[in-house]
Amino acid sequence: MTTQFFSDAGILAAPLDALMAAAAAMRDREYGSIHTYSRKVFIPLTYLCRDVCAYCTFAKPPKAGEPVFLSRDEVLAIARAGAAAGCTEALFTLGERPELRYRAAREALAALGHETTIGYLAEMCQAVLEETGLLPHANPGTLTEEEMLRLRGGCVSQGMMLESVSPRLCAPGGPHYGSPDKHPTARLETLERAGVANIPFTTGILIGIGETREERLEALRAIDASHGRHGHIQEVIIQNFRAKDDTRMSAAPEPGFDELLWTIAAARLILAPGISVQAPPNLSAREYPRLIAAGINDWGGISPVTIDHVNPEAPWPHISALAENTALAGKILVQRLPLYPRYLFARAHWLDVKLVAPTLRCADSDGFARGEAWSPGGHAPPPAPAYLPYTRPDARLTAALNAATQGDGLGEDDIIRLFAARGAEFDAVCAAADELRRNVNGDTVSYVVNRNINYTNICYYHCKFCAFSKGKTHEDLRGPAYDLDLAEVSRRTEEAWARGATEVCMQGGIHPDYTGETYLALCRAVKEAVPQMHIHAFSPLEVRHGASTLGLSLTAYLEKLRAAGLASLPGTAAEILDDEVRAALCPDKLNTAEWFEVMQAAHEVGLRTTSTIMFGHIEQPLHWARHLRRIRAQQVKTGGFTEFVPLPFVHMEAPLYRKGGSRQGPTMREAILMHAVGRLVLNPVISNIQVSWVKLGEEGAKQCLASGANDLGGTLMNESISRAAGAAHGQELEPARMEGLIRAAGRTPRLRNTLYGDAPESQRTRAFGAAELSPIILTHPKPRLKTQAAAQ
């Protein structure tokens, strides 16, 4: 329908309304309801410039007694103010090569220890990155390849406005006369060099300075052609000329608003769909809905701290007002980074290795700005979900919710769409999940009184997320290495029963000296101590390890474990059930097929298991979708999963995070959605969705209980795995507090056993009258085990 507009002739001839409609439709296919902006500070490193553009008020000549460059302290003061205001981007604005025109610039640079402005810019970008965590984006104009590569080490992205490809504008009397850096050839060469250097790049055109519509289309075609060769153009800015006093063009007519709308629509139709089209909101008299209707999907940089130094007469809109106006146009405002998501996800190609860690620290799972201080396991309170008026779920989201509620299996794309929900869409997903929970489970929230017994933290696997295991590469992590005596296992079991527990959950590292007999002995120790105790133990990795050391099949070994007292298995060691992620996260661990092989064998011998997901590290929503679909398929096949347990990644002490290779766990929005979407996708085959109060804290758990979860897991008399990773929670949520939390969420508590039956009343009495826990004993490894563990 819209192909008639794709040629220059078609664009030039089309009515504006038709052109805008075609552009908006193209934008919606690519970006849906998401409309982005970057929260940033503007750092005007210098106002000196060798060019003399006829419309510019940014460039100023040097004045006696006034510094011509911001000092390091001044730069960092601006950046720190931005960081305190929630910014993620430091945009460096500056004139082009002033040292080629002004002695004052050369002398100032020499005093700063540099020969060129670009050299000083590179130093300041590094300083801002290291001192404040803001991600630098530099707009220094035309650059050589060497200069671009120098900046690439400290900037996550770079930019230069192409402005125009019309040589006429450089002729005498034209706006670019006397400005050598504005010649189209120089601008296009810089654009091309950025692509060759794998630099995510921002560019754009300036309209209303004397160019024709045909010349605008020519400029857009040139940008698109360069992107076609290199894929490096993140966004294109359509900026309208504003006449300013004290310039040669102070009396020049400004382009009409329809002219701006026409150019935006043309840009959207010409440019590759993945290139964002942006229009500055402070330059358009707050005509936000019509700008969106013309095809933009981004507002560019908005600063809560600094003015627009290029257009100082045009104040930024308040971000809250911008969000509301964006919502009026049916879009959800989302904060992004200066590096767009697709470049972050392909970071090995587009990002200097030194910039990966600081960028990931700022990012959520979609590659947008994290936007909150909260992380799983931390002390910060979870943020309340943001509410945006006026937005409504679109037809695709509504259809996915209806299908899930009816119990239909969802495809990957539909699940990803659910995970992308924000604003009113987020509310709709959570409400649908909670209504489904109410229909399936009523208003009861269950929990179990249990005790974790982690019998050893010595492990010869090298999972990059694990802060629990001890070995050659883990000496600096929390706590000493230990290997519990069976007597300590028995003592803890007896104490747990006396304190009301019906379950012990046993898991540990893969000790190099453990065999299948070790795990059998652990089961016997529990059963000899308390025959009635339910043993919920051994990850699929431990089961596979035990079977292989005895030369038994999985089925044969699981039958031996069951005979020794094992009653159910935790579905841990799952992490993300997709080998693309596992290859980077835990390459020497079970692969996806092997994990399911253990689960199927367990279900076939009559052992029920849980299912889990550990999320918020290096994966993307695509991988969550694959994981959930595989869990559902297994449950349809065997029916052996008792529950689905989302486990948010706790990052603080995780080696992967400490080495700069992961995000800071999921955001609260993502954590809530994992429970809500899990409820919807797994309906009706898994009826119990558990929230981890250890990872999310009590307030976070309440939000998930309102979004599809119906179970709070165990009271956990001892928990060491999450705490080893840095979690602040985890040491026993006593039954009285557990039930208080449930009632505070407006629900009715139910004390259950492991398999979701009611717990014996005698154990409830013991649980509510429990004595204080005795100190745990961490048995030191025997000398021979120390030697062997150290050799791993």
Side-chain angles (χ1 to χ4, degrees):
M1 177 180 176
T2 63
T3 54
Q4 59 183 307
F5 302 129
F6 290 174
S7 70
D8 288 3
I11 291 171
L12 289 165
L16 179 58
D17 287 348
L19 203 66
M20 289 173 59
M26 180 178 287
R27 184 267 324 279
D28 289 347
R29 286 194 293 272
E30 183 72 18
Y31 300 97
S33 60
I34 299 299
H35 197 100
T36 51
Y37 81 103
S38 179
R39 195 179 185 104
K40 65 177 72 173
V41 288
F42 289 73
I43 302 177
L45 192 64
T46 180
Y47 291 100
L48 300 188
C49 183
R50 74 162 172 170
D51 297 320
V52 288
C53 300
Y55 45 78
C56 180
T57 56
F58 177 83
K60 299 175 178 63
K63 292 183 179 180
E66 293 186 4
V68 296
F69 287 91
L70 292 180
S71 69
R72 177 188 175 94
D73 287 346
E74 289 170 325
V75 167
L76 290 176
I78 295 170
R80 290 189 178 110
C87 299
T88 57
E89 176 178 350
L91 169 61
F92 283 87
T93 55
L94 59 155
E96 298 198 37
R97 306 187 186 281
E99 66 274 16
L100 298 182
R101 181 177 180 185
Y102 297 111
R103 176 186 293 179
R106 294 191 292 272
E107 291 174 348
L109 286 169
L112 293 166
H114 293 276
E115 293 183 359
T116 67
T117 301
I118 299 304
Y120 184 51
L121 172 63
E123 181 188 333
M124 290 302 96
C125 288
Q126 289 285 355
V128 165
L129 181 70
E130 294 168 5
E131 296 289 332
T132 72
L134 293 188
L135 304 176
H137 170 91
N139 276 347
T142 56
L143 296 174
T144 66
E145 180 181 1
E146 181 183 1
E147 289 169 332
M148 282 190 160
L149 292 174
R150 185 172 185 182
L151 289 176
R152 191 179 189 272
C155 295
V156 300
S157 56
Q158 297 178 40
M160 175 205 68
M161 289 290 284
L162 177 59
E163 296 194 7
S164 177
V165 293
S166 172
R168 295 184 305 102
L169 304 184
C170 297
H176 291 155
Y177 180 65
S179 302
D181 299 301
K182 293 301 178 76
H183 195 279
T185 301
R187 308 302 268 189
L188 290 171
E189 286 176 352
T190 295
L191 200 65
E192 195 70 10
R193 289 183 190 121
V196 172
N198 300 329
I199 294 171
F201 210 71
T202 294
T203 189
I205 62 173
L206 180 61
I207 71 168
I209 57 173
E211 82 293 346
T212 65
R213 280 187 169 186
E214 289 83 356
E215 287 168 337
R216 288 182 212 160
L217 299 184
E218 184 183 356
L220 292 168
R221 298 281 182 197
I223 293 169
D224 191 60
S226 184
H227 179 76
R229 289 186 289 273
H230 308 292
H232 63 306
I233 304 299
Q234 296 196 112
E235 60 188 350
V236 170
I237 304 168
I238 309 301
Q239 184 166 332
N240 47 312
F241 160 70
R242 296 282 295 264
K244 298 176 176 65
D245 294 338
D246 300 322
T247 68
R248 287 191 285 126
M249 294 183 66
S250 60
E254 296 179 351
F257 190 62
D258 281 358
E259 199 68 17
L260 176 62
L261 297 177
W262 180 90
T263 310
I264 289 170
R268 180 66 286 158
L269 294 173
I270 286 174
L271 297 171
I275 297 175
S276 285
V277 176
Q278 174 193 128
N282 60 322
L283 301 183
S284 300
R286 306 189 186 283
E287 292 278 356
Y288 306 133
R290 293 199 71 198
L291 290 172
I292 292 173
I296 65 169
N297 65 286
D298 186 82
W299 290 123
I302 309 293
S303 180
V305 177
T306 53
I307 64 170
D308 179 353
H309 291 282
V310 177
N311 298 284
E313 79 287 353
W316 300 115
H318 289 291
I319 293 173
S320 59
L322 190 63
E324 184 170 335
N325 278 281
T326 303
L328 282 169
K331 302 297 180 184
I332 299 169
L333 188 66
V334 176
Q335 184 183 348
R336 61 165 173 82
L337 304 175
L339 187 75
Y340 275 71
R342 67 180 179 277
Y343 296 94
L344 176 59
F345 295 144
R347 51 189 170 271
H349 183 78
W350 294 106
L351 203 58
D352 186 279
V353 65
K354 298 186 296 298
L355 299 175
V356 170
T359 307
L360 286 175
R361 280 197 292 269
C362 296
D364 70 5
S365 66
D366 290 318
F368 295 127
R370 185 176 183 84
E372 61 189 44
W374 178 87
S375 289
H379 290 281
Y387 173 72
L388 286 175
Y390 314 119
T391 55
R392 296 287 183 271
D394 64 16
R396 183 179 164 197
L397 184 74
T398 301
L401 291 175
N402 290 339
T405 302
Q406 296 300 314
D408 299 338
L410 298 182
E412 276 184 12
D413 289 346
D414 284 335
I415 298 172
I416 293 168
R417 180 68 186 88
L418 295 178
F419 278 122
R422 296 172 187 260
E425 295 180 347
F426 172 88
D427 295 339
V429 172
C430 293
D434 203 46
E435 179 64 22
L436 184 56
R437 181 271 311 162
R438 188 175 294 107
N439 293 338
V440 173
N441 306 98
D443 284 327
T444 296
V445 175
S446 54
Y447 71 100
V448 63
V449 176
N450 66 347
R451 182 171 205 166
N452 271 15
I453 302 178
N454 303 120
Y455 35 78
T456 186
N457 61 354
I458 298 170
C459 186
Y460 66 84
Y461 281 81
H462 301 90
C463 301
K464 297 179 182 179
F465 58 85
C466 183
F468 173 74
S469 68
K470 303 298 169 206
K472 187 173 75 172
T473 62
H474 303 103
E475 291 89 348
D476 63 329
L477 300 180
R478 292 188 175 193
Y482 64 84
D483 180 23
L484 297 187
D485 287 336
L486 291 179
E488 174 64 8
V489 173
S490 298
R491 186 197 69 78
R492 293 191 196 183
T493 301
E494 291 168 351
E495 184 180 37
W497 182 262
R499 300 182 81 252
T502 56
E503 170 198 308
V504 290
C505 177
M506 296 195 296
Q507 296 180 93
I510 308 301
H511 194 297
D513 287 346
Y514 277 22
T515 70
E517 288 296 337
T518 310
Y519 303 119
L520 292 167
L522 286 164
C523 289
R524 295 186 190 110
V526 170
K527 282 300 185 182
E528 288 168 5
V530 180
Q532 308 97 310
M533 187 68 81
H534 182 106
I535 301 176
H536 180 68
F538 313 134
S539 72
L541 181 59
E542 291 168 291
V543 171
R544 193 175 188 87
H545 174 73
S548 66
T549 59
L550 299 182
L552 296 174
S553 68
L554 289 172
T555 298
Y557 184 56
L558 284 163
E559 287 174 340
K560 288 178 72 71
L561 285 170
R562 188 177 184 189
L566 180 66
S568 62
L569 273 71
T572 49
E575 284 72 68
I576 298 293
L577 292 170
D578 187 90
D579 288 337
E580 180 181 353
V581 176
R582 299 182 78 81
L585 192 68
C586 46
D588 59 347
K589 206 170 185 177
L590 298 175
N591 63 31
T592 300
E594 290 168 337
W595 189 91
F596 279 110
E597 185 182 10
V598 175
M599 291 289 100
Q600 176 143 340
H603 297 169
E604 287 175 349
V605 302
L607 291 169
R608 304 290 298 279
T609 75
T610 65
S611 60
T612 66
I613 184 171
M614 187 190 73
F615 63 106
H617 35 86
I618 63 172
E619 82 298 350
Q620 299 170 36
L622 167 64
H623 304 112
W624 301 345
R626 292 173 179 171
H627 184 110
L628 287 172
R629 279 170 53 82
R630 287 165 179 158
I631 291 291
R632 180 185 172 100
Q634 181 66 43
Q635 183 73 341
V636 169
K637 188 185 298 183
T638 62
F641 292 128
T642 54
E643 66 218 68
F644 174 62
V645 189
L647 300 172
F649 173 59
V650 177
H651 73 281
M652 295 82 163
E653 299 294 335
L656 182 66
Y657 176 76
R658 285 161 55 117
K659 294 177 181 178
S662 78
R663 303 191 298 276
Q664 298 185 75
T667 64
M668 193 65 211
R669 170 189 153 273
E670 292 164 354
I672 293 171
L673 279 175
M674 185 60 74
H675 295 78
V677 177
R679 166 67 68 182
L680 293 163
V681 173
L682 299 174
N683 176 51
V685 298
I686 296 179
S687 58
N688 296 303
I689 308 296
Q690 184 182 120
V691 56
S692 172
W693 61 267
V694 174
K695 315 284 188 182
L696 298 180
E698 294 184 36
E699 290 304 312
K702 285 181 189 176
Q703 291 190 35
C704 293
L705 288 177
S707 304
N710 70 293
D711 186 79
L712 274 176
T715 57
L716 299 180
M717 295 177 194
N718 304 111
E719 197 286 330
S720 54
I721 294 176
S722 293
R723 289 179 68 82
H729 321 291
Q731 289 302 99
E732 191 170 26
L733 193 62
E734 300 91 345
R737 282 180 61 201
M738 186 78 87
E739 296 202 357
L741 187 163
I742 293 168
R743 290 192 176 94
R747 310 273 279 282
T748 303
R750 180 175 78 89
L751 180 59
R752 65 168 174 87
N753 60 25
T754 306
L755 300 180
Y756 284 83
D758 291 330
E761 189 59 35
S762 59
Q763 287 306 93
R764 179 179 179 86
T765 300
R766 291 188 178 98
F768 278 83
E772 291 294 318
L773 275 169
S774 301
I776 61 173
I777 299 169
L778 296 178
T779 313
H780 292 296
K782 298 178 178 67
R784 65 182 182 87
L785 297 182
K786 281 185 180 179
T787 301
Q788 293 185 24
Q792 300 303 315

